Amino acid sequence: MNDVYVGIDVGGTKMLAALVNGSGTIMAKVQQPTRAERGTKDTIRRLMAMTESLIKESCSEAEGNTIQGIGIAVAGILDPSKGTVMLATNLGWENVPIGPLLKQYFQCPVQVINDANAAALGEWLAGAGVGMKDVIYVTVSTGIGGGIISDGRLMLGSTNSAAELGHISIDRNGPLCACGNRGCIEVYASGNTIANRVREDIRSGDASTAIVLEMAGGNPELLNARHVAEAAQTGDEYAKDRLAEAGSALGMGLTAIIHLINPEMIILGGGVSQSGRLLFEPMLNTIRGHGIPGLVNRVRFVTAKLGGDAGAVGAALWWRYERTITSAIQETVW
């Protein structure tokens, strides 16, 4: 019999369930639109049906696979000890006991994990960070999040809310962030911020926004950071400046994180990170210009390998990780 795990990543746009083996290889997966607007009950019903179908198709007696546990990654405020999603605004969930519901339905252990921490775990155990002990994973997408591996352990914090990297302030007098703080990395470098800045320039009649607007089909409301990156890749100076601003702000935040955590590697994931050198060069220049050389010069910067599968893989591998940590603790005690 083969021990396998199920990882589920529930986002505002899509739900992904994956069957993962102990080395982190995806054996099968299924994906559906989340359609959170239909309500919590509908989302959970379809999530369970999707996962059940995956398990039935991949875990028959002929296949010889045995489910050892289910991990579910969700963005929001969680109570992992109870398996409850206390608040997930992108899903419209409030006090949803998703862990107990899945445990009862599938009759196996279930763990609820923050989505960014799950992605960090996935990249560390099965992606770009394999073999490293001190890793920071940063996702630059609609917002900015991440996870921290320190001395071979996922840093969770007292309430499993550690590594809100996007909400580190780099300017106490900066713009107000949705979290209530000012000058967070997220209000300078996220995909939403980049797109909103361009929309403001379009509304003010800035002629240099023409190419970016063209990339969005002429509709400012459809414009996103990907359109800005596409315009920048054609050589448009306005778009290149917007990505450089975001990269420099990201670099300031990462400098503070490097000084605090002293990582050997930083893994960059998320849609905005696909902008490549147009984002990374100003980011690296800022880090090298503001960081302590003995710390920042030792860090390897790499792009994520698992892409959109990272959260599901990490959620699945939670059980492998937990067993490893438990064994290490027992060896230390005894």
Side-chain angles (χ1 to χ4, degrees):
M1 301 294 285
N2 304 311
D3 290 348
V4 294
Y5 311 86
V6 174
I8 304 170
D9 189 2
V10 186
T13 304
K14 67 178 177 69
M15 303 186 293
L16 172 66
L19 191 73
V20 179
N21 65 18
S23 64
T25 300
I26 294 178
M27 303 167 67
K29 65 179 179 179
V30 60
Q31 180 176 310
Q32 286 187 9
T34 305
R35 298 195 178 105
E37 71 278 1
R38 294 184 178 182
T40 302
K41 288 184 179 180
D42 178 81
T43 302
I44 293 175
R45 178 186 59 78
R46 289 186 298 107
L47 174 66
M48 287 180 168
M50 177 179 77
T51 305
E52 184 175 34
S53 174
L54 176 74
I55 292 173
K56 282 183 176 179
E57 290 179 7
S58 305
C59 295
S60 64
E61 288 187 14
E63 296 287 343
N65 296 322
T66 304
I67 301 295
Q68 296 298 306
I70 295 174
I72 178 166
V74 183
I77 301 172
L78 314 176
D79 184 344
S81 65
K82 295 180 179 178
T84 299
V85 178
M86 298 171 66
L87 181 66
T89 54
N90 63 335
L91 297 172
W93 288 10
E94 188 172 352
N95 295 320
V96 175
I98 188 66
L101 289 172
L102 291 178
K103 182 178 181 180
Q104 181 179 21
Y105 192 83
F106 292 106
Q107 293 297 297
C108 70
V110 176
Q111 179 69 36
V112 181
I113 312 166
N114 172 272
D115 65 331
N117 281 334
L121 199 60
E123 285 290 345
W124 174 48
L125 294 176
V130 172
M132 302 289 107
K133 289 185 66 179
D134 294 276
V135 177
I136 295 171
Y137 170 79
V138 182
T139 175
V140 188
S141 189
T142 304
I144 294 177
I148 297 170
I149 311 298
S150 181
D151 195 25
R153 296 193 182 188
L154 178 64
M155 186 179 293
L156 295 171
S158 62
T159 62
N160 288 69
S161 301
E164 284 289 351
L165 304 183
H167 297 292
I168 293 174
S169 176
I170 57 175
D171 182 0
R172 65 181 182 180
N173 298 313
L176 185 65
C177 180
C179 74
N181 197 5
R182 287 191 175 275
C184 294
I185 303 172
E186 190 166 293
V187 300
Y188 293 105
S190 70
N192 268 351
T193 297
I194 294 169
N196 287 338
R197 166 67 191 276
V198 176
R199 289 192 196 100
E200 289 174 6
D201 287 346
I202 290 171
R203 284 192 289 267
S204 67
D206 190 332
S208 61
T209 61
I211 294 178
V212 179
L213 185 57
E214 182 182 336
M215 293 292 178
N219 186 346
E221 298 308 313
L222 297 179
L223 189 144
N224 57 40
R226 177 173 55 83
H227 298 126
V228 181
E230 289 172 352
Q233 286 158 3
T234 69
D236 179 57
E237 292 300 325
Y238 170 83
K240 287 165 69 174
D241 286 345
R242 298 293 75 74
L243 288 180
E245 287 174 352
S248 180
L250 182 60
M252 286 297 294
L254 289 179
T255 301
I257 295 167
I258 292 168
H259 288 171
L260 180 65
I261 303 298
N262 186 25
E264 55 190 324
M265 175 182 283
I266 291 181
I267 302 172
L268 294 148
V272 177
S273 70
Q274 295 173 14
S275 304
R277 65 177 184 81
L278 295 167
L279 182 78
F280 294 155
E281 283 185 3
M283 177 194 81
L284 290 171
N285 288 338
T286 299
I287 291 171
R288 290 165 182 157
H290 291 82
I292 299 170
L295 293 178
V296 300
N297 292 342
R298 292 177 177 272
V299 181
R300 288 177 56 197
F301 293 87
V302 300
T303 53
K305 284 187 177 180
L306 301 181
D309 295 334
V313 171
L317 291 181
W318 168 265
W319 299 102
R320 191 190 103 183
Y321 165 74
E322 185 185 55
R323 288 172 184 172
T324 301
I325 293 300
T326 300
S327 297
I329 291 172
Q330 289 174 342
E331 287 178 9
T332 302
V333 171
W334 295 106

